[in-house]
Amino acid sequence: MNNFTFFSPTKFVFGKGVENKTGDLCKQFGANKVLIVYGGGSVVRSGLLARVEESLKTANIEYVEFGGIQPNPIDTKVYEGIELVRKENIDFILPVGGGSAIDTAKAIAVGVPYEGDFWDFYLGKAKVKAALPVATVLTIPAAGSEGSGDSVITKVDGMNKLGLGSELMRPKFSIMNPELTMTLPANQTAYGIVDMMAHIFERYFTNTKNVEVTDRVAEGLLIAIMNEAKKVVANPQDYEARANIMWSGTIAHNGLCGVGRAEDWMTHCMEHEVSGLNDKIAHGAGLAVIFPAWMTFMAKNHPYKVAQMAERIFNVEHVGSDEEIALKGIAKLREFFAILNMPKSLSELGFVKSDIDTLVRKFHQNNGEKIEGVYYTMTPEVTRAIYEIAL
Amino acid sequence: MNNFTFFSPTKFVFGKGVENKTGDLCKQFGANKVLIVYGGGSVVRSGLLARVEESLKTANIEYVEFGGIQPNPIDTKVYEGIELVRKENIDFILPVGGGSAIDTAKAIAVGVPYEGDFWDFYLGKAKVKAALPVATVLTIPAAGSEGSGDSVITKVDGMNKLGLGSELMRPKFSIMNPELTMTLPANQTAYGIVDMMAHIFERYFTNTKNVEVTDRVAEGLLIAIMNEAKKVVANPQDYEARANIMWSGTIAHNGLCGVGRAEDWMTHCMEHEVSGLNDKIAHGAGLAVIFPAWMTFMAKNHPYKVAQMAERIFNVEHVGSDEEIALKGIAKLREFFAILNMPKSLSELGFVKSDIDTLVRKFHQNNGEKIEGVYYTMTPEVTRAIYEIAL
């Protein structure tokens, strides 16, 4: 086990009706004037925005609305938000929505007190030293952004997705009402489930030895997510299953599953190129295609941990080689993704063989020519082999 | 799943040599003058106290030593500490040790800014509204006090153990070096392992339905603790196993395993009477006796969750009645406690039949005549039946 620091100071307020506590919580955390960051019309239509605003009014907190954030959020909205916050003397950023609204809010939060271009942080040219406080009202579980210090934004110029992590971007509090997720369309629900599983897998697949406690926690979470996901597919109005899924999304990504171990994240990086090339593709859909492909390559070349997953999570019998055991586990994972009606291949997502050159090129442009993934070294040959399995 | 708030803002700094960061962390959290609360000579002999003090000196932080805290910590030391802090204008409390030092430190922290008797908080006569900041250097994993807002102190007058919980008592940071636990005697190590398992069981045994995620996390933790404990028994110098155990102790008790569910704690309350009557009995030893007895009673009267434990944690086959399955699981838990060389009964701890009257009487004196445990209602008849199984 490696030395580590675990710090998850976000206050999670979870359950039915908790959005009505937004104003009190904002007050408790020192807000005077709030920027409400949100996406399309669904938070308006559902009445959520009105309830949040009512709660702010009751607590005597001013607010400014800032809507129109799209999935795979882009930098132009970040610039617009920074300008608005400066103009309006806003001191607190409150995204109401899913990962896109929250990630945009975080980018605005670090951009406001910085004199240069906020991209400097995401490009590694500058280090975050200050940020406005952020808190969230979560409507789409999965991104885990409500409990993490991470943000991913798409640079419109070049359509690159770039990520940033900073403790200063961790939300002060996150309001999580599972009822708000009950009207999510089936595909969005499913994308989220895949994404939270991937957040666990990226930490689970490590070469750091002697991490039994965190392995077992991760395995327990993955089993629970799949059990509850099947209930949600059968009955989208199942509050209890929605609640279990929503909370899983948070602990999948607040750092708990990554303590004491190197984390991989190669699959996420590979997926970012997929949805980066076509912003109609949901991150979760891309992951559902890439993760089994990545695992299949690893089953051949580096099977140990994939085999452990197969045995402990999918109850595959300990018979045959690690590769055989691993492949049986991957088959079961694919069966589960099929229940979620996820795409099975890049072809299904509209990619053709010649696109692989672009994917490989962009992956290594963004991540380096040879990347020491903590589980396996990624060279262009490896990346290509995995994208080809995914095709 | 019930509505809940989960807030675990403690910064956990974990790994080899991390005690050398004490000074920097104290500075970061605003300390000027620190009270170092510790127990006997072991932190002196091991050189830990000197390293912590060196680190404080390097960071230009003043400190005052306050030693002599005993297991099952008592109120006289709390009063003494409060007086010392007031006299010396100390603004930060730093226990270096295990649960006893930390629990004493928390009592001092809430006692200092309060005009009345600190017992008012523990007796429910007053609510904690202010506390000095506390941070810990942990040497004995188990109590979980390094990541919780809880404290248990023994009232010398009457030998009652009383507990208090307050968010204001949560440590700002906790320094956790598993190397420090490698010289712990085998019995203390074992008591700690039982205690952390009990912290999970108290939350696991609930009648709150639809808590799959937290159940699975709890089960994963329990499996991991038992696996790693066996390694520690075989080789007390196994750093990796010690590290896994130490971290388990924290997440067993920082609230994660209790989200969204009612918690029981009847077994802890029953054990408090046991070690309250004889302060030579370690809390963990008492729990190793009481928990299997409690489970055996529940297997007969309310077996569902005990049977789930048996199947998911101890791989008991799903054959026979819930009671039969549950009893097989309890037998396996007893086998594990035997590996740890734990006492098997109250008799082994020196109790005789007539002591049961006293235990039952004190339990209900402290907790009420009829207590709605979240898993089973505790009447004097039930309490007696469980203590009798334990005898």
Side-chain angles (χ1 to χ4, degrees), chain A residues 7-258:
Chain A
F7 188 41
S8 173
T10 304
K11 185 171 209 158
F12 298 103
V13 181
F14 190 101
K16 292 181 183 170
V18 289
E19 64 271 24
N20 298 323
K21 299 183 176 182
T22 309
D24 282 346
L25 284 159
C26 282
K27 184 134 239 160
Q28 193 182 316
F29 283 88
N32 292 299
K33 191 170 182 182
V34 164
L35 184 75
I36 304 177
V37 180
Y38 62 100
S42 70
V43 299
V44 180
R45 282 193 305 277
S46 69
L48 173 63
L49 191 66
R51 289 201 299 282
V52 166
E53 293 181 350
E54 190 56 42
S55 175
L56 290 170
K57 273 182 212 159
T58 307
N60 287 316
I61 291 171
E62 285 186 83
Y63 59 84
V64 174
E65 289 183 5
F66 181 58
I69 311 300
Q70 300 292 328
N72 298 317
I74 52 174
D75 52 1
T76 45
K77 291 301 286 185
V78 176
Y79 290 124
E80 207 182 306
I82 292 171
E83 204 176 319
L84 183 58
V85 167
R86 287 177 179 159
K87 193 180 114 206
E88 295 275 351
N89 287 315
I90 285 165
D91 61 5
F92 202 94
I93 317 287
L94 182 75
V96 177
S100 301
I102 302 173
D103 283 12
T104 302
K106 289 175 177 174
I108 294 169
V110 298
V112 169
Y114 182 62
E115 286 186 4
D117 184 348
F118 87 93
W119 273 125
D120 291 354
F121 300 125
Y122 289 71
L123 291 164
K125 290 183 188 168
K127 209 170 137 47
V128 176
K129 287 188 185 142
L132 290 190
V134 176
T136 85
V137 179
L138 187 68
T139 60
I140 307 175
S145 195
E146 74 283 2
S148 83
D150 302 328
S151 161
V152 176
I153 302 289
T154 297
K155 205 170 191 314
V156 169
D157 174 15
M159 290 309 275
N160 285 325
K161 279 190 170 191
L162 295 171
L164 171 66
S166 163
E167 291 300 337
L168 290 167
M169 296 196 301
R170 280 193 188 269
K172 299 297 176 195
F173 62 85
S174 281
I175 288 174
M176 303 171 66
N177 177 355
E179 291 172 312
L180 302 177
T181 71
M182 282 161 77
T183 51
L184 276 180
N187 63 349
Q188 278 216 51
T189 301
Y191 298 148
I193 288 162
V194 175
D195 195 14
M196 62 183 75
M197 290 177 72
H199 289 155
I200 303 172
F201 282 138
E202 296 284 13
R203 296 169 164 105
Y204 185 75
F205 290 104
T206 180
N207 286 322
T208 310
K209 299 290 177 228
N210 300 306
V211 286
E212 169 76 355
V213 165
T214 308
D215 269 7
R216 293 280 179 184
V217 168
E219 289 157 1
L221 275 172
L222 287 162
I223 293 169
I225 290 169
M226 289 190 288
N227 287 343
E228 299 300 298
K230 287 175 200 162
K231 293 184 198 167
V232 169
V233 169
N235 174 17
Q237 299 303 308
D238 183 338
Y239 173 84
E240 299 292 349
R242 291 278 190 184
N244 274 282
I245 292 285
M246 192 176 208
W247 182 237
S248 299
T250 301
I251 43 180
H253 205 33
N254 79 337
L256 184 76
C257 293

Side-chain angles (χ1 to χ4, degrees), chain B residues 23-266:
Chain B
D24 283 348
L25 284 160
C26 282
K27 184 136 239 155
Q28 193 182 312
F29 282 88
N32 292 301
K33 191 170 182 182
V34 165
L35 183 75
I36 305 179
V37 181
Y38 62 100
S42 71
V43 300
V44 180
R45 284 193 304 277
S46 70
L48 173 62
L49 190 66
R51 291 202 297 285
V52 166
E53 291 181 352
E54 191 55 42
S55 176
L56 290 169
K57 275 181 210 158
T58 307
N60 287 318
I61 291 172
E62 285 186 84
Y63 60 83
V64 173
E65 288 182 6
F66 181 58
I69 311 301
Q70 301 291 328
N72 298 317
I74 53 175
D75 51 2
T76 47
K77 291 301 287 184
V78 176
Y79 289 124
E80 207 182 307
I82 291 171
E83 203 177 321
L84 184 59
V85 167
R86 286 176 178 161
K87 192 181 114 202
E88 295 275 350
N89 286 316
I90 285 163
D91 62 4
F92 202 95
I93 318 286
L94 183 73
V96 177
S100 303
I102 302 173
D103 283 10
T104 303
K106 288 174 178 174
I108 295 170
V110 298
V112 169
Y114 182 63
E115 287 185 6
D117 184 347
F118 87 93
W119 273 126
D120 290 353
F121 300 125
Y122 289 70
L123 291 164
K125 292 185 190 167
K127 210 169 137 47
V128 176
K129 286 190 183 141
L132 290 189
V134 175
T136 86
V137 179
L138 186 67
T139 61
I140 306 176
S145 195
E146 74 282 2
S148 83
D150 302 327
S151 162
V152 177
I153 302 289
T154 297
K155 204 169 192 312
V156 169
D157 174 14
M159 290 309 276
N160 286 326
K161 279 189 168 188
L162 295 172
L164 172 67
S166 163
E167 291 300 338
L168 290 166
M169 296 198 301
R170 281 195 187 268
K172 299 298 176 192
F173 61 85
S174 282
I175 290 176
M176 303 171 66
N177 177 356
E179 291 172 311
L180 303 177
T181 71
M182 284 161 76
T183 51
L184 275 182
N187 62 349
Q188 278 216 49
T189 301
Y191 298 148
I193 288 162
V194 175
D195 195 14
M196 63 185 73
M197 291 177 72
H199 289 155
I200 303 172
F201 282 137
E202 297 283 15
R203 295 169 165 106
Y204 185 74
F205 290 104
T206 180
N207 285 322
T208 310
K209 300 291 177 226
N210 300 305
V211 286
E212 170 77 354
V213 165
T214 307
D215 268 6
R216 292 280 181 186
V217 168
E219 289 156 2
L221 274 172
L222 287 162
I223 293 168
I225 290 170
M226 290 191 285
N227 288 342
E228 299 300 297
K230 288 176 201 160
K231 293 184 197 167
V232 169
V233 169
N235 174 17
Q237 300 302 307
D238 184 337
Y239 173 84
E240 299 291 348
R242 291 278 191 185
N244 274 282
I245 293 285
M246 193 176 208
W247 182 238
S248 299
T250 302
I251 43 181
H253 205 34
N254 79 337
L256 184 76
C257 294
V259 294
R261 54 170 73 208
E263 303 183 5
D264 198 74
W265 296 98
M266 287 301 112

Side-chain angles (χ1 to χ4, degrees), chain B residues 307 310-312 314-322 324-326 328-329 332:
Chain B
E311 290 186 31
R312 292 195 188 170
F314 293 105
N315 294 316
V316 173
E317 268 191 282
H318 189 68
V319 176
S321 69
D322 270 4
E324 287 166 319
I325 294 167
K328 285 181 194 162
K332 295 216 175 202

